[in-house]
Amino acid sequence: MVEKINAMAKNMSSSMQAQRSAMATQTIGKKITYEDNLPSPWSSDVIPSRGSFELVGEDTRAGTITIRWQQGIDPSIKGREAVWKMAGALGISRSSGTGADGLPKGMVLKDEATVVLERMTGLPVKLDHRRDVALGTAASSNHWVFERVGK
């Protein structure tokens, strides 16, 4: 479990670091989108993903900004092909059902986080993360919060 948390934090951390400088001058409510890859929770494959960062608030008194981050399976052709290849190896075929997004019915791999950062340093004050994973009739949801104690 610790390895999975570390891998998620590393993936989120590298994505967030890449966007941090852009957020310094970002307008509240304007999303920055990107394409990446997520490690598959079902196999050793990687899954094409799309994500976004959005500055949702600023507390000038506290000197913080709040960012919303989302990332999930890229439902484009590239993402669908990778997912169906992986699903086939797991014994799941298109005849088992396809969702409206073209992915296997019931497949979910989604991360969402709200991050509060010190505006001047970019250091995190609070990170609230949720990951939803589902395939077929199996599903899990993990939620964790890291909050800086003291200064």
Side-chain angles (χ1 to χ4, degrees), residues 8 29 40 65 70 84 105 123 129-130 133-134 138 140 144:
M8 285 189 300
S40 169
I65 59 171
Q70 299 176 332
W84 278 108
K105 191 172 183 128
L123 293 173
H129 177 269
R130 177 184 177 100
V133 177
S140 71
W144 45 269

Side-chain angles (χ1 to χ4, degrees), residues 91-104:
I92 299 168
S93 67
R94 292 182 192 269
S95 63
S96 301
T98 302
D101 54 7
L103 301 174

Side-chain angles (χ1 to χ4, degrees), residues 49-121:
S49 65
R50 286 189 183 173
S52 67
F53 290 88
E54 178 182 4
L55 180 63
V56 294
E58 178 178 15
D59 183 336
T60 54
R61 231 175 105 199
T64 61
I65 59 171
T66 302
I67 299 168
R68 182 175 305 124
W69 171 70
Q70 299 176 332
Q71 179 174 260
I73 298 171
D74 180 354
S76 72
I77 298 296
K78 180 172 77 171
R80 279 193 303 247
E81 287 175 5
V83 166
W84 278 108
K85 180 181 174 192
M86 180 210 56
L90 296 172
I92 299 168
S93 67
R94 292 182 192 269
S95 63
S96 301
T98 302
D101 54 7
L103 301 174
K105 191 172 183 128
M107 178 177 264
V108 175
L109 178 55
K110 183 178 180 183
D111 290 291
E112 296 178 317
T114 300
V115 184
V116 179
L117 302 172
E118 286 183 349
R119 182 173 270 296
M120 293 298 290
T121 65

